[in-house]
Amino acid sequence: MIPENGAFSSPFSLDEPQWVPDKECPRCMQCDTKFDFLTRKHHCRRCGKCFCDKCCSKKVLLPRMCFVDPVRQCAECSLVSQKEMEFYDKQIKVLTNGATFTVTLGTSEKSESMVCRLSNNHRYLFLDGDSHFEVELSRVSSFQILTEGFTPGEKDIHTYTSLLESQYITEGGNTRASGMLLQYKAVGSQDLQQLKLNAREDNKTASAWLVAMHKAAKLLYESRDQ
């Protein structure tokens, strides 16, 4: 189920791949078995390559390409999709439920306590306090997860991920997510603006939200880089 207007698509979505033409794959691209009347060829829905039934037998959910039901994927792609399902099963719920942060806009010295959450269509960050503020994810240029030197229980927190420029991700080891700094362009403007979120030390919900947001940033980068 794909939105007619691409502007309404989830920012985490991936385009479907071009399938390798049947005439260009006489053999399985994994085990090199020759295709014939008995050994049929199958295309992996995620990568588009040709495989025999043995090498492309798993049917796994693939929400990033808007498939409603599980679809056939090769062994390598099925592992990736299964790992992503943790994000859709758990992290999305954390992000849409939201968490409370001390929020600073731009270079202002004033800060405000606000609840930050991901919109249900995954396209916006909503911030609600005495005022309402929102950031469109497609207009975010970089995320920086601020960390402190504690073990958070999640060991894959990335200290910095640039969605537009950086090809590399630096992993932090014994750290606790303490805040987030993001740069974005407001609608109708080409100037970068800054938003900073800080979590209280005892706010486990906020720390969990930051970890989930970082995982979301990884998927956003992959979607933009396709």
Side-chain angles (χ1 to χ4, degrees):
M1 299 177 65
I2 303 174
E4 287 187 18
N5 189 334
F8 297 106
S9 298
S10 166
F12 305 123
S13 64
L14 294 173
D15 293 334
E16 289 188 58
Q18 289 287 332
W19 282 15
V20 175
D22 286 350
K23 62 182 179 181
E24 294 182 11
C25 53
R27 294 177 177 273
C28 174
M29 300 178 77
Q30 177 65 39
C31 69
D32 204 38
T33 296
K34 185 177 180 179
F35 297 123
D36 53 30
F37 182 74
L38 295 177
T39 305
R40 308 294 297 274
K41 65 183 64 175
H42 302 276
H43 285 86
C44 171
R45 285 357 183 226
R46 185 174 182 120
C47 68
K49 295 179 180 179
C50 260
F51 301 92
C52 65
D53 181 69
K54 182 179 179 181
C55 295
C56 194
S57 61
K58 293 187 177 180
K59 290 190 175 181
V60 182
L61 288 169
L62 186 52
R64 294 188 73 186
M65 290 184 184
C66 301
F67 288 106
V68 176
D69 298 314
V71 292
R72 189 183 291 271
Q73 298 179 53
C74 66
E76 182 177 352
C77 287
S78 65
L79 288 175
V80 174
S81 295
Q82 286 170 347
K83 289 180 180 179
E84 289 176 351
M85 282 311 302
E86 180 184 354
F87 173 78
Y88 281 92
D89 289 340
K90 300 179 181 179
Q91 308 299 336
I92 281 288
K93 294 177 183 178
V94 172
L95 293 173
T96 54
N97 286 339
T100 302
F101 296 91
T102 300
V103 180
T104 306
L105 297 177
T107 57
S108 173
E109 295 182 358
K110 295 182 179 180
S111 58
E112 180 181 348
S113 179
M114 306 181 83
V115 174
C116 184
R117 66 180 180 86
L118 183 69
S119 64
N120 290 332
N121 63 9
H122 308 162
R123 295 176 57 229
Y124 297 91
L125 286 180
F126 289 155
L127 295 99
D128 291 291
D130 293 335
S131 58
H132 174 80
F133 187 77
E134 57 189 55
V135 176
E136 189 173 357
L137 287 184
S138 64
R139 299 186 67 82
V140 174
S141 61
S142 68
F143 285 89
Q144 181 179 359
I145 301 299
L146 308 176
T147 60
E148 294 179 357
F150 299 97
T151 302
E154 290 279 351
K155 297 183 179 180
D156 58 346
I157 298 174
H158 298 161
T159 56
Y160 186 78
T161 303
S162 171
L163 297 181
L164 294 183
E165 299 172 359
S166 177
Q167 296 284 340
Y168 305 98
I169 297 173
T170 302
E171 296 195 6
N174 296 324
T175 57
R176 182 182 71 85
S178 61
M180 179 175 72
L181 188 67
L182 62 83
Q183 292 183 323
Y184 66 98
K185 293 179 181 178
V187 176
S189 173
Q190 292 301 312
D191 296 329
L192 282 177
Q193 300 188 40
Q194 181 172 288
L195 180 68
K196 185 177 182 180
L197 284 70
N198 283 315
R200 295 200 309 262
E201 289 187 11
D202 59 343
N203 194 332
K204 294 182 179 179
T205 300
S207 293
W209 191 93
L210 291 169
V211 171
M213 192 64 229
H214 183 262
K215 293 182 179 180
K218 288 178 62 180
L219 298 190
L220 285 170
Y221 178 75
E222 291 171 1
S223 295
R224 294 184 184 185
D225 193 44
Q226 65 183 347

